[in-house]
Amino acid sequence: MNFPATVHISNHPLVKHKLTLLRDKKTDPKQFRELIREITLLLAYEATCDLEISPATVQTPLSEAAGFKLKEPVGLIPILRAGLGMVEGIWEMIPFAEVWHIGLFRDEQTLRPVAYYNRLPIHPTVSLCLILDPMLATGGSAVKTVDILKEWGANRIKFMGLIGAPEGVQRLSEAHPDVPIHLAVVDDHLNEHAYIVPGLGDAGDRQFGTG
Ligand code: PRP
Ligand code: URA
């Protein structure tokens, strides 16, 4: 599969190992949530490698030391419900990141995203928006979320997911070529219900024990 350079697929052995456990249908919701948090933390390391920093000094026990501090306010945009589980993983690295929830579900007949929750403030309060959703299937939910954020005024947006389908990666990168996509893996295909195969099933149900 050839994707544009803005599509980043992790090659990290820990990501591969943990993703395999995540897919396993025997993995229970508690372990599933822990794995989502851990994989997200690993992906965040790669997805935040271009965060802006500014010089800062600290006093060590011996002398002054030149260092850096993060300059950019970071916003996490989990797509409800399944994106919620990814927040904790990034908060471990960026505890001061703001979280702005977007509620979308996929209509099972039309497969179109239906928006049901949005409490974004009138003007953007962050300079980098990280959209969080474990599953990039048809890409409808991700494209809609980027549309919402761009209308809001966000101008630096990245998408972070765990498993993508080729169809979803292509749709998001064509609709929003300026939005980098960070994934653990791209799977084989979508089935007739637009579920990712082999995938992991329903990411929301498996996290929240509602399947
Ligand atoms: C899942 C998933 C994405 C969407 C992906 O959410 O978390 O948001 O489907 O599908 P798409 O790429 O075809 O739009 P779902 O609609 O199942 O809602 P949930 O998270 O509340 O379970
Ligand atoms: N949503 C999921 O949770 N899983 C899929 O495979 C597709 C959409």
Side-chain angles (χ1 to χ4, degrees):
M1 278 173 281
N2 281 330
F3 294 119
T6 47
V7 178
H8 306 272
I9 314 297
S10 178
N11 206 22
H12 199 293
L14 279 174
V15 171
K16 294 178 195 289
H17 172 80
K18 288 175 187 292
L19 185 69
T20 307
L21 298 173
L22 188 75
R23 289 184 192 273
D24 190 337
K25 67 178 184 184
K26 295 195 294 300
T27 297
D28 67 17
K30 179 172 185 290
Q31 198 194 0
F32 193 88
R33 291 191 295 270
E34 285 167 3
L35 287 163
I36 293 231
R37 180 179 59 76
E38 291 167 358
I39 298 169
T40 304
L41 196 155
L42 291 163
L43 294 181
Y45 180 79
E46 296 170 347
T48 55
C49 68
D50 60 352
L51 278 185
E52 288 177 25
I53 48 177
S54 54
T57 52
V58 285
Q59 194 69 38
T60 77
L62 301 181
S63 76
E64 198 172 74
F68 300 93
K69 63 179 180 191
L70 282 182
K71 196 166 138 192
E72 283 188 284
V74 178
L76 311 181
I77 322 290
I79 303 180
L80 304 176
R81 293 174 301 164
L84 272 181
M86 297 177 69
V87 170
E88 289 291 334
I90 303 196
W91 261 350
E92 289 195 25
M93 293 289 106
I94 316 176
F96 44 84
E98 298 177 18
V99 179
W100 297 103
H101 304 85
I102 298 282
L104 294 180
F105 68 85
R106 198 171 69 160
D107 182 297
E108 287 188 9
Q109 307 304 321
T110 64
L111 297 179
R112 290 231 179 97
V114 180
Y116 64 89
Y117 186 81
N118 175 351
R119 289 287 302 273
L120 290 170
I122 296 175
H123 300 295
T125 51
V126 291
S127 81
L128 170 66
C129 292
L130 295 177
I131 299 175
L132 310 178
D133 192 332
M135 309 306 276
L136 181 61
T138 66
S141 305
V143 168
K144 174 86 182 159
T145 304
V146 178
D147 291 342
I148 292 170
L149 292 178
K150 284 187 174 175
E151 255 171 58
W152 183 46
N155 47 29
R156 196 154 117 81
I157 302 171
K158 299 186 182 202
F159 178 89
M160 285 183 62
L162 303 191
I163 304 184
E167 297 89 332
V169 176
Q170 188 175 354
R171 183 162 167 195
L172 178 56
S173 53
E174 280 176 8
H176 294 291
D178 56 320
V179 173
I181 302 173
H182 291 265
L183 294 166
V185 72
V186 177
D187 270 4
D188 195 58
H189 66 279
L190 292 175
N191 71 11
E192 64 277 22
H193 305 294
Y195 268 73
I196 301 174
V197 182
L200 50 69
D202 188 306
D205 283 345
R206 292 198 63 189
Q207 277 179 77
F208 298 109
T210 50

